[in-house]
Amino acid sequence: MTRTDITDRAATKAGAAQCSVVTAEAWLQVPSAWPGVLRVRPLTGEATASYVQRLADAYRLTVSQLLDGAGIPLHRHGTPPTAELILTPRAARRLSILARTPLPHLTRALPRLPLRDAARDTEAAAYWTRLKTEQQPVRGCTLCTRHRSNDATDTTWVQPAPHQLMCPRHQQAAPDPRLTSTLRTRAAPELVAAHHAHQRLLRNPRAATAWTTAHAITTRWHTRLTRLCAANPLLATTGSASPTLLTRDLVIYPETVALARTLATLPSRPHRDTDKALNLIAYRLGLPRLPLNANDPLRVFLTHTRH
C-alpha cells in the first residue's frame, strides 16, 4: 500500500468521524486526530460539564448525544454553572479517547475529572450534581475559549485559582458565578500589573498563608469599582446582587496581591517589629497609616502567625 493510498483512506475516515462518534472501546490507545476531526483543548481549571459541552458544540451535538455515542449513560439533569458533570473513571477514559487527549492532560486541566481507580472502575456513567454557591465556576475568557473551541463557542466555566482571577492577555475577568458575561478590565490597568506580581508571589513558600490573610482583610477600593462599572454597564442591570458584591475579588485584587507579597516577605520576628511592619504595609498600599486595634486580623497575623 502506498503513502497516497493511506492518505486517501484517512481522508475518507475523517469525513465519517466528524458526523458520528465512535464507541470508546474501539480504541486501545489515544490515536492522533484524523484530518478533519476536531480537537477541543481544555482550559486550566475548567469544569467537566463545561468541557463536555464545548466538545459537543464543536460537533453540533447535545451533551447527552455526545456521551451516548461514547457509550456513557447520562443520569439526572443540570447545566453549568449551578451543576457539575461527574464521570466515573471508565467514563473519563472514554472521554479522553473521544477528545483525542491523553487522560493525564485532561485530569490536570479539569479538577473534577477522576483519575483511574481500579476499585471503582465497574461502569462508564456520567451524573449531574448540583453545586453549592461557593463551589460554582465562573465565566472564562471569551477569546481564549473561542481559540480552544474551533470558534464553536465563547462560553466556558472555570474554577480559577486566585492567581488566575483574570486573563491578562485579553483583559477579561468574571470574579463571581452570577455574572453571565465577563468584565472588561482595561479601565483598571493596575489589575494586569497585580496579576504579574501574583505570579512572582507564588514562588514564596509562605505565599498561601499570606494570600489567605490578605484576602480576608483587604478593604474595597471604590474608585476602581466606579471605573469598572462605567466600562461594564451590565453590572448595573444584574438584579441578583450589587456590583460591589459581584466584583469584590477583582476590585481589591491589586491591594490584596501587594499585601500578600509584603506579608510573605516580612522577617520572621513577630512581637518585636509589628509597628515597623505596619508602616511598611501602609507604604506598599499607598496609605498614610494603618491604625489597628489589638484584635485586628492583620495585627494578629503579624504577632502570632509568622514563623
Side-chain angles (χ1 to χ4, degrees):
M1 181 179 293
T2 66
R3 180 180 297 273
T4 301
D5 294 332
I6 297 175
T7 303
D8 292 341
R9 179 171 296 182
T12 302
K13 291 184 178 180
Q18 191 164 0
C19 299
S20 63
V21 179
V22 182
T23 303
E25 294 295 345
W27 294 307
L28 298 179
Q29 61 183 2
V30 179
S32 299
W34 291 104
V37 174
L38 302 179
R39 173 72 60 81
V40 176
R41 292 183 294 161
L43 278 73
T44 301
E46 187 171 3
T48 304
S50 172
Y51 179 69
V52 174
Q53 180 66 68
R54 288 199 298 120
L55 189 61
D57 288 341
Y59 285 100
R60 300 183 181 182
L61 300 172
T62 65
V63 168
S64 59
Q65 288 171 338
L66 182 84
L67 294 177
D68 182 66
I72 304 175
L74 178 60
H75 304 279
R76 306 173 193 152
H77 301 279
T79 56
T82 58
E84 174 62 303
L85 200 58
I86 305 300
L87 273 61
T88 63
R90 179 170 292 186
R93 292 206 309 279
R94 291 188 179 183
L95 176 65
S96 165
I97 296 169
L98 179 65
R100 301 299 203 279
T101 304
L103 184 57
H105 293 186
L106 282 184
T107 53
R108 280 196 295 270
L110 311 181
R112 289 200 172 98
L113 196 66
L115 295 170
R116 182 182 179 88
D117 186 347
R120 298 187 296 112
D121 196 12
T122 57
E123 64 173 345
Y127 302 85
W128 283 108
T129 182
R130 290 193 61 81
L131 298 173
K132 297 179 180 178
T133 302
E134 62 273 14
Q135 298 174 319
Q136 291 179 11
V138 299
R139 280 290 300 268
C141 173
T142 57
L143 296 180
C144 288
T145 302
R146 278 202 171 278
H147 178 67
R148 297 197 176 196
S149 304
N150 297 287
D151 288 326
T153 180
D154 64 0
T155 301
T156 190
W157 297 94
V158 298
Q159 296 167 316
H163 66 280
Q164 297 166 330
L165 178 64
M166 66 170 296
C167 173
R169 180 179 181 183
H170 301 119
Q171 298 196 40
Q172 294 185 28
D176 191 283
R178 289 169 290 189
L179 289 168
T180 56
S181 63
T182 59
L183 302 179
R184 304 303 186 262
T185 61
R186 294 186 186 278
E190 63 272 25
L191 293 170
V192 175
H195 173 86
H196 295 320
H198 202 167
Q199 313 314 303
R200 295 193 296 272
L201 170 64
L202 297 178
R203 296 193 287 266
N204 191 295
R206 297 159 63 187
T209 302
W211 173 262
T212 300
T213 302
H215 184 263
I217 65 182
T218 304
T219 56
R220 295 177 175 86
W221 260 246
H222 291 282
T223 57
R224 186 173 300 123
L225 174 60
T226 301
R227 280 182 282 152
L228 287 173
C229 288
N232 298 274
L234 66 95
L235 287 172
T237 61
T238 303
S240 59
S242 69
T244 301
L245 290 177
L246 292 173
T247 64
R248 179 185 182 276
D249 286 353
L250 194 62
V251 167
I252 66 174
Y253 185 56
E255 290 70 32
T256 304
V257 172
L259 178 55
R261 292 188 70 194
T262 304
L263 296 180
T265 56
L266 287 174
S268 300
R269 292 176 293 172
H271 304 292
R272 289 181 292 175
D273 60 354
T274 299
D275 291 335
K276 290 182 179 179
L278 288 174
N279 291 335
L280 174 62
I281 291 169
Y283 171 76
R284 293 279 179 85
L285 295 179
L287 301 174
R289 59 192 179 92
L290 283 174
L292 306 177
N293 59 48
N295 296 321
D296 187 273
L298 181 55
R299 187 176 289 276
V300 170
F301 177 89
L302 294 174
T303 56
H304 299 292
T305 306
R306 285 187 291 155
H307 57 284

